[in-house]
Amino acid sequence: MRGFERRREPVEGTRAPTARAPRPAGPEPERSARAAVRLRQRYEKAEVKRFTRRARRRRLGWATAFGVVGLIVALIGVAIFSPILALREIRVEGASRLDPAVVSDALSGQLGTPLALLDDGRIRDELGRFTTIRSYVTELVPPGTLVVHVVERSPLGLVTTAQGFDVVDAAGVVLESSATRPEALPLLQLDEGGVGGRAFSAITEVLVALPPEVLAQVDSITARTRDDVTLTLAGSSQRVVWGGAADSERKAAVFAALLAMFAGSGTGEYDLSAPDNPVFRPD
């Protein structure tokens, strides 16, 4: 029936649950904390050692670099100012027409100067007085030698002047002058343009193309224009109609072959104006 409730009586012999009290802290957390502190201290000591080693290496590197730079500066100072490396000897190599002793004397004003302080401009000016020198290269040989390697100009032929003859090279540079005709060089009979004209350019192309044994037999060469070159041979009455200066190397080879066949044939004319059809015409 409504209105009545059943009360639960506690069962005899049972207890109500009670909350457990926390256990006191033992030694395990303390050991963990001490271990963490020791680990931290070891890490900090390792970092300090590593930083110290790095700083020491950096200082050692800077000291080495400064030492190397100082050594280089000292060596440069010795090379520039030390009398040990001063100029004491001048050698000239490659000179045949020039007397090497004359060239050495021209450069002797720099004797006693340290090799590193030699005046290249002064050397250039002193060697420039020798027209026979086409080019040169200098070489410094420690402890005190200057070697000058000379390339001389090669004489090409003779040009008639009011005083006699000028020996010129392929560039028209006068190498020497003589009142009498020098031997073994052809006479260059030029137009009014002289060594600066087109006729001289044509003559140069022809003579440079000739083999030495053939060039030695040329007595004179004439060019009124670039396409009208003729030669006469020394010791004979033979002449050569060369024609134009173009294709001179081929013409030179053909002429050498014809000369070997007809050199002793007496007076005549070699016609090389058409190198594919060369002709020797006896008079």
Side-chain angles (χ1 to χ4, degrees):
M1 292 180 61
R2 195 180 283 183
F4 290 92
E5 292 183 358
R6 297 181 64 179
R7 294 177 54 191
R8 290 187 177 183
E9 297 293 338
V11 180
E12 188 176 355
T14 63
R15 295 180 180 179
T18 58
R20 295 182 178 181
R23 294 182 180 179
E28 187 65 28
E30 295 179 3
R31 284 198 296 268
S32 298
R34 287 196 296 270
V37 171
R38 287 195 298 270
L39 182 62
R40 178 65 181 177
Q41 289 174 345
R42 284 198 297 269
Y43 173 77
E44 291 176 352
K45 289 181 181 179
E47 285 295 307
V48 170
K49 290 181 179 179
R50 187 172 62 176
F51 176 79
T52 304
R53 285 196 299 269
R54 188 182 304 165
R56 189 182 298 115
R57 285 196 297 267
R58 189 181 298 113
R59 288 195 298 269
L60 181 60
W62 280 110
T64 302
F66 282 124
V68 171
V69 172
L71 179 60
I72 293 174
V73 171
L75 291 176
I76 292 175
V78 170
I80 293 177
F81 301 107
S82 174
I84 298 175
L85 298 178
L87 180 62
R88 295 189 296 272
E89 180 188 5
I90 299 173
R91 294 206 312 263
V92 179
E93 298 181 356
S96 57
R97 297 174 60 85
L98 275 175
D99 184 354
V102 175
V103 180
S104 297
D105 289 342
L107 301 173
S108 62
Q110 299 204 61
L111 289 172
T113 304
L115 295 182
L117 297 180
L118 291 178
D119 189 341
D120 292 335
R122 184 176 173 185
I123 293 175
R124 182 177 60 250
D125 293 340
E126 289 164 344
L127 294 180
R129 300 190 183 101
F130 299 95
T131 56
T132 306
I133 297 178
R134 187 179 71 187
S135 63
Y136 69 91
V137 175
T138 59
E139 178 186 2
L140 300 179
V141 181
T145 301
L146 170 66
V147 182
V148 183
H149 301 276
V150 169
V151 177
E152 294 182 326
R153 297 181 182 273
S154 299
L156 179 72
L158 306 171
V159 176
T160 305
T161 66
Q163 292 76 30
F165 301 89
D166 284 343
V167 179
V168 298
D169 73 342
V173 176
V174 177
L175 306 182
E176 59 182 86
S177 300
S178 174
T180 60
R181 178 175 176 174
E183 298 180 357
L185 288 174
L187 181 64
L188 313 183
Q189 298 178 332
L190 306 174
D191 59 7
E192 62 277 2
V195 294
R198 299 184 63 186
F200 178 78
S201 174
I203 286 175
T204 299
E205 288 186 41
V206 174
L207 293 181
V208 169
L210 291 175
E213 64 276 10
V214 176
L215 179 60
Q217 300 184 53
V218 178
D219 179 68
S220 65
I221 180 169
T222 305
R224 289 190 293 270
T225 66
R226 183 173 175 80
D227 297 320
D228 184 18
V229 181
T230 59
L231 302 86
T232 60
L233 302 182
S236 78
S237 55
Q238 293 181 342
R239 60 190 178 277
V240 182
V241 177
W242 195 270
D247 207 12
S248 286
E249 291 187 1
R250 185 181 178 194
K251 290 181 179 181
V254 172
F255 177 44
L258 289 177
L259 192 60
M261 292 186 290
F262 300 107
S265 299
T267 304
E269 179 181 87
Y270 299 91
D271 189 348
L272 302 172
S273 56
D276 291 331
N277 298 291
V279 177
F280 175 73
R281 302 187 186 94
D283 289 346

